[in-house]
Structures are given as C-alpha cells and as structure tokens.
Amino acid sequence: MEYDHILIRFGEITTKGRNRNLFINKLSTQIQRKLTKHQGLTFEKTRDRIYIKLNGEPHEEIVEVLKNIIGIQSFSLALKVISEMEHIKEGVLAAFKQLDHKGKSFKISARRSDKSFPLDSNQLNYELGSHILKNIQEISVDVHNPDINMRVEVRKEATYITFKDEKGLGGLPVGSSGKAMLMLSGGLDSPVAGFLAMKRGLTLEAVHFHSPPYTSERARQKVIDLAQQLTDFAGTIKLHIVPFTEIQTTIQRQIPENYTLISTRRMMLRITDEIRRRRNALAIVTGESLGQVASQTLESMHVINNVTNTPIIRPLVTIDKFHIIDMAKKINTHDISIRPFEDCCTIFTPAAPKTRPRLEKITHYESYTDFESLIEKAVNETEIITLDGSKKEEIEDLF
Ligand code: ATP
Ligand code: MG
C-alpha cells in the first residue's frame, strides 16, 4: 500500500459562505490547468477539500507545482482506505512503514467527520496507536511533541491517512475577486505588488509605459519577461504596452523641471485608468511603497492620485524594501528585475524632483497643453500582448 492521493486544504476560502462553490471551482480549474501534463491524475472536489488521485503519477513533481498555487492553504500526501476499522488499521500501519520511524516518537490525530462511525476520535487514537505499538518496534508515543503526527480523517466515503503537511501559498484563488490593472515597470516592486494582489483573488492585466528610442528593446523585453513570470500564478496575463514617448517629451518641454516627474506619474495614471475603463476592470494596482522615492512621499501620492477616483491598490505601501526583495526572490522575478535596462522614468527623472508638490501648481502647469488628446492617442496605439502560462512551460521544456 502506497500513498496514492494528495489531499488539498483551502483555508480562507472556507469562510466565504455562498460564494464557496465559485471559489472551489476556480481553484480546482487552476490546479488542473497546472497539472495538465500529468494525464493520469484524477480530481475530486468536496465541500472543504480537493483530492487528487495519483494513479501512478510521480508525487514529487506534483508537490512542487502545488506549492505555487494561490488559494491552497496546505496539502498532504495521503493514503485512501475504506472507512472500516480493519482497513484503517492496515492503512495506518502501511503508512508508518513508508516512513523513517526507527527510534522516533509518534501520535495519532484522528478526526471523525462521519459521526456515525462507531468509534469516536479518542477511541480511534487509542486503537490505532496500540496497533502501531504492537506491530512496529523501537517507536514510542508522545502526544505533546511527536516526531511523527499521523492524521487520520474518517469520512463517510473514505478515510484519508496523512502524516506531513506541505504549506501552500494561501490567499484566495486568482479571479475570485474581480479584475484590476497592474502598472508594471521593470523594477523590483511592481511584480511583487502584482503577486500580492493576485493572492487576494484579483485577475490582472498589466500596463507598461515604454518610451522608444529613449528606452531600449531590452527594457521592453524585461517587462514582457516579468509579466510572463507572473503567469506562473495567473495563468494568462494581457500586457498593454503604451507608447509614451510623445507624452514624455511634451512634459519635458511644457512642465517646469521639478514637476516633470509628478506630471509623468499623473499621465501614466490617467492612461492606465482609461485602459482600465475600456477593459472593464475596477481597480489599479501599483508597486508604490511609502517614502521609497520622491514620487512616493505622501504629498506626491496625494497629487498623483488626484487624477482619478478609481481605487488604487498599493500592496507594498507599508512594506520595507528588504522584505520586498525577499518576496521578489521567492516569486522568481528578482533576477529579471535587476537586469540593468532602464525604464522611461529613470531616464527622464529630474535631478531635483519636488518631494512636496502642490496640486494647484501642477494642474496649472498642465492646463497649457492638450494632454487629453495625447492620452487618447497613446491609448489607441497601445499594443496588447497576451502571455500564456501553459506556453511558458512548453518553451522551457524545449531548452
Ligand atoms: P518599481 O520597482 O515597481 O519600478 P519603484 O520603486 O521604481 O517601483 P517608481 O519608479 O516610483 O517606484 O514607480 C512606482 C510605481 O509606478 C511602480 O511600482 C509601478 O507600479 C508604476 N510605474 C513606474 N514606472 C512604470 C512604467 N514604466 N510602466 C508602468 N508602470 C510604472
Ligand atoms: Mg521603477
């Protein structure tokens, strides 16, 4: 008898009342999509679990995939047996034999969700514990701090025996909270912000501002690669690449130097908001973090934000840089972000940007130029690239 199932727990989804089925369906679809290459697997959904039957597929690879799926709280390799005492005993013993148990302590944690089962959880713990002690040498019981905690879940349809929980990413399945636009630069912050937004169930479309020839093809490619990396969690991402050169050069000409940065940000936000409106999204996500740079003082944020009422989600607003870097490494965007190609903001950043801009000043400066039609034109000329997570795996496999 070998581990033949993986049992997946959801955590937070289970608090979601009526929407529960929607959440579970989204999660289940994502799990299946990420595991399509393992054709032998079969899936089963219940109210509070998803079960994968391995049918001989290699569990090591599948475990690695599951660790990166948003919405999974934890999961365990499991042995499925018939819910009868003889079968459960046999299963628990078989599970122990697959472990390195010599000289270790153990505990049985039984749970009886089928209340019609003749033994309650204490009796189950006792019976199964004694069965192990009788059949396995050099092992002892420790109910407080065991080396091996064997969990036994007795349900009506079957009993699942598990011994080790792997942690998932947690959060809510992507797509369960609606859609937002992620302002994606080539930096470290915005991909991490995108990841955290997805963890709260948002589907993302990304918007990037590109200013050729001031910014290079490689800077553009870097952002495509970042968006592609985020498809690990998102499935697919549409990336909108906005031609921004004309607006940036106009800003350089028309706006006093210490206000160009603020004006640039305001234009980016106006454009993103217009794309958002056309794409039926309800929020904008940025990688802003309070106090990090001149455009991220509270005064700057206030003046930039003034161009729209759309909710702006800033997952990193209070997070320290070193922690952001840590997360970037975990989601594999770090090494792409640190490639040395500059984006449009870095190149046009003035020597001394205002850190305490005033709203009446910037609106006055901007009022001399017809930015409205420049914005309209940029939006209309925006290029859309669709990045597909499943294609990525194919590409990696080729090399
Ligand atoms: P990041 O590391 O994400 O670039 P940052 O610390 O460099 O952030 P800023 O350059 O002030 O900070 O950018 C703040 C946010 O504005 C970014 O996180 C991103 O959401 C958005 N942004 C900046 N530049 C661009 C761009 N070229 N295209 C799209 N969004 C951008
Ligand atoms: Mg940046």
Side-chain angles (χ1 to χ4, degrees):
M1 234 192 264
E2 292 210 348
Y3 292 108
D4 51 5
H5 281 71
I6 297 178
L7 175 160
I8 296 172
R9 305 177 190 86
F10 324 137
E12 210 175 331
I13 301 182
T14 51
T15 62
K16 293 291 172 190
R18 277 188 306 141
N19 287 332
R20 193 187 177 106
N21 275 342
L22 174 85
F23 282 66
I24 296 173
N25 288 339
K26 289 243 185 250
L27 181 59
S28 172
T29 309
Q30 260 148 51
I31 293 173
Q32 294 188 37
R33 194 175 55 208
K34 299 218 72 170
L35 292 171
T36 39
K37 86 174 207 214
H38 300 282
Q39 290 287 321
L41 301 177
T42 46
F43 299 85
E44 191 196 335
K45 285 179 286 191
T46 67
R47 271 192 84 252
D48 56 351
R49 301 269 192 269
I50 291 174
Y51 299 96
I52 303 178
K53 188 168 184 208
L54 292 170
N55 297 312
E57 294 280 346
H59 63 75
E60 296 85 353
E61 275 178 40
I62 293 159
V63 163
E64 287 314 306
V65 174
L66 295 178
K67 281 181 188 165
N68 279 318
I69 296 181
I70 291 173
I72 295 180
Q73 197 65 28
S74 70
F75 59 95
S76 312
L77 278 171
L79 196 74
K80 182 181 181 181
V81 295
I82 298 169
S83 287
E84 286 169 13
M85 205 50 198
E86 278 318 299
H87 291 277
I88 299 173
K89 277 183 172 169
E90 196 188 328
V92 168
L93 192 56
F96 260 96
K97 286 184 175 160
Q98 286 171 59
L99 295 174
D100 172 21
H101 53 67
K102 238 188 162 151
K104 301 253 167 84
S105 62
F106 81 100
K107 161 188 181 181
I108 305 276
S109 305
R111 215 179 79 186
R112 182 183 62 147
S113 47
D114 170 19
K115 299 294 174 215
S116 67
F117 192 79
L119 303 184
D120 69 17
S121 45
N122 281 333
Q123 290 166 325
L124 273 163
N125 288 341
Y126 178 77
E127 287 279 324
L128 296 171
S130 327
H131 187 62
I132 296 303
L133 288 173
K134 231 181 280 164
N135 289 285
I136 293 184
Q137 259 98 63
E138 294 183 54
I139 196 162
S140 60
V141 173
D142 182 345
V143 290
H144 300 295
N145 196 15
D147 299 320
I148 301 167
N149 184 4
M150 184 75 65
R151 294 216 261 177
V152 179
E153 266 192 55
V154 181
R155 300 175 158 243
K156 223 182 190 69
E157 67 286 0
T159 292
Y160 292 89
I161 301 163
T162 63
F163 76 96
K164 187 178 164 214
D165 291 353
E166 298 276 1
K167 260 175 109 65
L169 287 174
L172 306 173
V174 175
S176 57
S177 302
K179 185 163 78 176
M181 310 304 292
L182 168 67
M183 296 179 71
L184 185 63
S185 68
L188 273 163
D189 301 324
S190 41
V192 175
F195 168 73
L196 292 174
M198 286 191 280
K199 261 189 82 175
R200 294 313 299 167
L202 287 172
T203 302
L204 297 178
E205 292 194 19
V207 179
H208 177 67
F209 294 87
H210 183 49
S211 302
Y214 303 102
T215 54
S216 65
E217 181 56 31
R218 286 191 292 181
R220 178 176 177 277
Q221 188 58 45
K222 179 177 171 183
V223 173
I224 295 175
D225 292 349
L226 284 171
Q228 181 74 69
Q229 187 52 38
L230 291 178
T231 64
D232 265 8
F233 310 100
T236 54
I237 290 189
K238 276 195 171 25
L239 170 63
H240 302 258
I241 300 187
V242 183
F244 201 48
T245 316
E246 196 178 350
I247 293 180
Q248 279 209 298
T249 50
T250 308
I251 291 172
Q252 299 302 309
R253 267 200 323 273
Q254 302 289 348
I255 306 286
E257 197 195 339
N258 56 359
Y259 270 88
T260 55
L261 179 65
I262 294 297
S263 189
T264 305
R265 296 309 177 149
R266 284 163 56 90
M267 297 306 153
M268 282 184 174
L269 193 53
R270 283 171 69 175
I271 291 172
T272 306
D273 206 29
E274 176 56 19
I275 300 175
R276 173 202 67 75
R277 196 185 62 76
R278 295 186 188 189
R279 299 294 306 161
N280 291 320
L282 291 179
I284 294 170
V285 178
T286 77
E288 289 162 297
S289 175
L290 192 59
Q292 226 189 54
V293 288
S295 59
Q296 295 174 16
T297 62
L298 209 49
E299 290 85 350
S300 297
M301 277 189 193
H302 178 78
V303 170
I304 295 166
N305 209 153
N306 195 263
V307 299
T308 179
N309 284 323
T310 300
I312 311 236
I313 297 172
R314 301 179 174 90
L316 304 180
V317 77
T318 60
I319 302 189
D320 297 342
K321 191 77 187 186
F322 68 87
H323 191 188
I324 297 172
I325 292 173
D326 243 27
M327 286 194 271
K329 287 181 181 160
K330 287 210 178 92
I331 63 168
N332 291 323
T333 54
H334 176 270
D335 291 358
I336 306 172
S337 290
I338 60 171
R339 289 184 205 156
F341 314 117
E342 313 221 308
D343 77 6
C344 55
C345 309
T346 332
I347 289 165
F348 287 97
T349 302
K354 267 261 179 255
T355 52
R356 295 184 170 199
R358 301 238 315 267
L359 185 60
E360 47 309 344
K361 284 203 168 173
I362 189 67
T363 45
H364 175 73
Y365 297 145
E366 287 174 358
S367 68
Y368 291 94
T369 306
D370 179 14
F371 280 111
E372 196 58 47
S373 51
L374 288 176
I375 288 173
E376 171 87 16
K377 183 163 171 251
V379 173
N380 290 337
E381 289 171 4
T382 291
E383 174 193 2
I384 305 180
I385 303 177
T386 303
L387 299 159
D388 184 343
S390 56
K391 297 253 167 58
K392 178 183 176 215
E393 270 148 31
E394 279 166 33
I395 293 166
E396 280 175 353
D397 283 349
L398 283 176
F399 293 96

